[in-house]
Amino acid sequence: MNEFDVPGMAVTIVKDGSVVLAKGYGVRKLGAPTPVDEHTMFGIGSNTKAFTTAALAMLVDEGKLAWDDPVYQRLPGFQMYDPYVSHEMTIRDLLTHRSGMGLGEGDLLIFPHTTYTATTSFTACAT
């Protein structure tokens, strides 16, 4: 926590499908007394890029999609500023930053509503 100048963190270690350690350290907000525990939710930032790419790679391995599939075929509402770009943009383009969008653009394009909780999300991902 000192190295990264954060007031708190949560750690979970999973081995062979079982939780070995789940513990919080420090506080949720600098200057506030609320402690971090094993149930504290944190934003995971850019780690979602790796998760998304890994999940898509599994679908590619299963033959359910291809890296060079046009995005609009998988996300029918996908639309860029230019019809040509919208039609030609591939999954690979999005994952390799070849979309032409600037830093941070599109970060909030799709944030679907879900009924998952932290527990059901973890369980769904772990199975």
Side-chain angles (χ1 to χ4, degrees):
M1 293 182 333
N2 289 337
E3 181 71 26
F4 293 101
D5 196 28
V6 295
M9 63 185 236
V11 176
T12 300
I13 299 173
V14 179
K15 182 179 180 190
D16 299 326
S18 297
V19 175
V20 176
L21 172 77
K23 187 172 180 180
Y25 301 89
V27 294
R28 295 178 187 196
K29 183 177 178 184
L30 192 59
T34 308
V36 172
D37 64 20
E38 68 273 19
H39 301 291
T40 302
M41 301 286 281
F42 291 95
I44 62 171
S46 291
N47 289 321
T48 57
K49 293 178 180 101
F51 298 152
T52 299
T53 303
L56 289 170
M58 292 167 67
L59 294 173
V60 169
D61 284 348
E62 294 171 5
K64 295 180 179 176
L65 62 83
W67 294 120
D68 293 316
D69 284 352
V71 176
Y72 78 89
Q73 288 180 350
R74 303 300 174 172
L75 296 172
F78 179 79
Q79 185 175 3
M80 296 290 286
Y81 65 94
D82 179 299
Y84 174 81
V85 175
S86 300
H87 189 264
E88 297 301 315
M89 184 78 61
T90 67
I91 293 169
R92 184 187 310 267
D93 292 331
L94 292 178
L95 296 173
T96 59
H97 300 283
R98 298 189 310 195
S99 68
M101 296 192 312
L103 181 63
E105 289 183 56
D107 284 357
L108 301 175
L109 284 177
I110 299 177
F111 194 77
H113 174 73
T114 181
T115 57
Y116 286 125
T117 65
T119 304
T120 58
S121 294
F122 178 75
T123 303
C125 292
T127 54

